[in-house]
């Protein structure tokens, strides 16, 4: 492969930029100082990390701890490693090719297959957003007594908040998201500290055990994996990695961008890993052995202030902090979910609309099923929980549709160039992860169907 192929991006100038209004808008200092570069490239990883600690993760992680103690911490760890590998590939795809995953998939699959894949991926974005919308609505209900139907409708206004933040610059969005992540982390550090978990058992939980293969434990493990690695994050990561402004014709600058995007992603995903560990530890320390149903956000909220369940650490303060963290998580995830919806719509079907209309459409696509559910079945959290179950099935189906192209594209010398294609060991790990997650998600779908019918 000649030098020109290495330097010239595969995307042509006639191709639209991913998230054009923020693409290449964040200045990068001309310096070799590691910390200044890390600071300049830090931010996109936070938006990606949000998807790994969204409300959909909460029930599986806390429920896993409540049912099986610290046993499934090893599953949380493995899921986080897979997430780091996939997000590295996603960021590298965007930086090297100047295309997000949706654009690349459409380019190399053609119109008809591209539209089919768009429909599947759009359903996955909707399914992801449903969990965030429900989480935000329930948090508003718990904190302020707002009925669930009105709470769902209020989440539509997140779109206009996002438009306002866009006017202020992408760095402001990154700062707000990071602040909310720290709020979530702070809340659960405090709650776990109050719960006083058995430290030796916590560390023992990171060692995989054969018990995980038992039916009940395996089903919960599959739920944790399925809720952790989600398709929309791969599209999001491949797009917002392009927000930095550097010389895109220089192999040296591209290599620098890939290096620090990887640092940013791994550091932020480490925070997400810590939050998920805290959720499971909290569930184990307070609720392990409890026979009641803790499968809803309201049940968890009530349990945290009930001495009969949470013991001597139970207090209204813990419940309120839990709801605050849930609201922060929901708001964070709705911001990134709306961006992911825009990336998918533009990348797959090349729709060109004013930003506010485009974002309103992507949000309404997600809000509509939740609103209909709330209107027809009333303010019943149990009904919304059923909707969450169905949304996870959509995610399970869509995950291979996103992972297979990502691993294939980043392993291709023709697409990535000799310098930037995946090393053989990373390609092997990528394909193994794809195969394992696909099999696990098929198993999750089958077990979900059995539970429902």
């Amino acid at each position: 492969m000649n030098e020109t192929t290495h330097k010239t991006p595969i995307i042509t100038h006639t191709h639209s930029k991913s998230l054009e209004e923020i693409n290449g808008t964040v200045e990068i200092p001309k310096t070799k100082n590691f910390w200044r570069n890390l600071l300049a490239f830090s931010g996109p990883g936070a938006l990606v990390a949000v998807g790994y600690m969204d409300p959909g993760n909460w029930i599986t992680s806390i429920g896993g701890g409540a049912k099986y103690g610290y046993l499934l911490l090893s599953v949380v760890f493995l899921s986080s490693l897979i997430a780091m590998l996939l997000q590295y590939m996603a960021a590298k795809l965007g930086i090297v090719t100047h295309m997000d995953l949706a654009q690349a998939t459409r380019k190399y699959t053609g119109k008809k297959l591209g539209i089919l894949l768009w429909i599947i991926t759009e359903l996955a974005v909707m399914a992801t957003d449903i969990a965030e919308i429900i989480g935000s609505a329930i948090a508003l209900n718990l904190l302020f007594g707002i009925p669930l139907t009105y709470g769902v409708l209020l989440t539509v206004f997140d779109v206009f908040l996002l438009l306002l933040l866009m006017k202020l610059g992408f760095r402001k969005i990154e700062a707000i998201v990071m602040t909310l992540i720290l709020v979530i982390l702070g809340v659960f550090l405090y709650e776990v500290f109050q719960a006083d978990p058995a430290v030796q058992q916590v560390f023992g939980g990171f060692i995989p055990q054969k018990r995980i293969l038992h039916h009940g434990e395996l089903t919960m493990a599959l739920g944790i994996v399925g809720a952790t690695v989600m398709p929309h994050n791969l599209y999001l990561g491949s797009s917002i990695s392009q927000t930095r402004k550097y010389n895109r014709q220089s192999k040296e600058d591209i290599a620098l961008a890939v290096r620090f995007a990887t640092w940013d992603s791994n550091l932020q995903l480490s925070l997400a890993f810590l939050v998920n560990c805290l959720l499971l530890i909290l569930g184990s320390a307070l609720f392990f052995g409890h026979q009641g149903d803790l499968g809803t956000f309201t049940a968890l909220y009530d349990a945290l202030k009930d001495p009969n369940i949470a013991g001597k650490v139970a207090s209204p303060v813990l419940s309120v902090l839990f709801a605050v963290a849930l609201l922060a998580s929901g708001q964070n995830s709705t911001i990134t979910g709306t961006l992911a919806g825009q990336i998918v719509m533009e990348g797959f079907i090349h729709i060109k609309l004013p930003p506010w209309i485009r974002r309103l459409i992507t949000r309404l696509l997600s809000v509509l099923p939740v609103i209909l559910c709330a209107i027809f079945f009333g303010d019943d959290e149990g009904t919304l929980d059923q909707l969450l179950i169905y949304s996870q099935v959509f995610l399970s189906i869509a995950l291979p549709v996103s992972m297979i192209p990502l691993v294939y594209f980043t392993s291709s010398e023709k697409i990535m160039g000799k310098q930037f294609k995946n090393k053989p060991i990373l390609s092997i790990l990528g394909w193994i992860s794809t195969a394992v997650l696909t099999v696990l998600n098929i198993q999750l779908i089958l077990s979900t169907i059995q539970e429902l019918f």
Side-chain angles (χ1 to χ4, degrees), residues 48 57 104 118 125 134 242 246 252 273 279 306 328 335 396 409 421 449:
V48 166
N57 289 58
W118 167 67
V125 173
I134 291 174
Q242 301 176 54
Y246 53 89
E252 185 178 351
F273 163 67
L279 288 165
D306 186 347
I335 289 174
S396 301
F409 295 152
K421 69 171 185 176
I449 291 172

Side-chain angles (χ1 to χ4, degrees), residues 39-118:
L39 181 63
F41 279 95
S42 292
L47 273 74
V48 166
V50 162
Y52 294 96
M53 59 176 92
D54 75 325
N57 289 58
W58 291 34
I59 294 297
T60 52
S61 293
I62 296 177
K67 281 191 175 182
Y68 304 112
Y70 306 107
L71 176 70
L72 300 179
L73 281 171
S74 58
V75 178
V76 175
F77 179 60
L78 179 62
S79 299
S80 297
L81 290 179
I82 293 173
M84 288 179 182
L85 175 64
L86 294 175
Q87 291 302 154
Y88 157 73
M89 291 181 182
K92 185 170 67 169
L93 176 70
I95 291 168
V96 175
T97 69
H98 308 174
M99 289 185 289
D100 59 51
L101 180 57
Q103 291 172 328
T105 305
R106 171 62 188 274
K107 181 180 177 71
Y108 294 107
T109 55
K111 186 176 181 179
K112 290 183 179 179
L113 182 56
I115 290 175
L116 175 63
L117 295 177
W118 167 67

Side-chain angles (χ1 to χ4, degrees), residues 91-276:
K92 185 170 67 169
L93 176 70
I95 291 168
V96 175
T97 69
H98 308 174
M99 289 185 289
D100 59 51
L101 180 57
Q103 291 172 328
T105 305
R106 171 62 188 274
K107 181 180 177 71
Y108 294 107
T109 55
K111 186 176 181 179
K112 290 183 179 179
L113 182 56
I115 290 175
L116 175 63
L117 295 177
W118 167 67
I119 293 171
I120 296 171
T121 308
E122 194 70 63
L123 289 173
V125 173
M126 286 173 61
T128 303
D129 220 12
I130 281 169
E132 282 76 8
I133 292 165
I134 291 174
S136 294
I138 291 173
L140 290 170
N141 176 259
L142 295 175
L143 289 170
F144 308 112
I146 298 173
L148 291 177
T149 305
Y150 296 126
V152 170
L153 289 171
L154 282 174
T155 65
V156 175
F157 293 98
D158 293 340
V159 177
F160 300 103
L161 173 64
L162 181 57
L163 283 170
L164 175 64
L165 293 175
M166 283 290 197
K167 296 288 185 185
L168 299 175
F170 193 65
R171 285 298 256 177
K172 299 292 191 305
I173 296 177
E174 293 173 345
I176 290 169
V177 167
M178 191 64 212
T179 300
L180 291 173
I181 288 175
L182 292 175
V183 168
I184 297 166
L185 179 62
V187 165
F188 286 113
L189 277 172
Y190 172 77
E191 295 202 341
V192 168
F193 177 77
Q194 292 294 314
D196 192 24
V199 176
Q200 188 173 351
Q201 292 181 37
V202 169
F203 283 107
F206 289 105
I207 301 172
Q209 299 178 38
K210 286 185 178 180
R211 273 182 56 208
I212 295 174
L213 299 178
H214 295 172
H215 177 72
E217 288 87 337
L218 181 60
T219 301
M220 184 60 75
L222 294 175
I224 290 173
V225 173
T228 301
V229 185
M230 294 185 292
H232 82 287
N233 259 342
L234 305 180
Y235 296 93
L236 181 68
S238 63
S239 177
I240 60 176
S241 62
Q242 301 176 54
T243 54
R244 271 44 188 174
K245 187 176 182 180
Y246 53 89
N247 183 356
R248 300 190 175 191
Q249 304 303 316
S250 165
K251 286 192 294 181
E252 185 178 351
D253 280 19
I254 290 173
L256 182 79
V258 170
R259 178 189 174 200
F260 282 100
T262 305
W263 270 101
D264 174 43
S265 176
N266 287 345
L267 287 171
Q268 305 288 1
L269 287 176
S270 295
L271 280 182
F273 163 67
L274 180 57
V275 167
N276 284 320

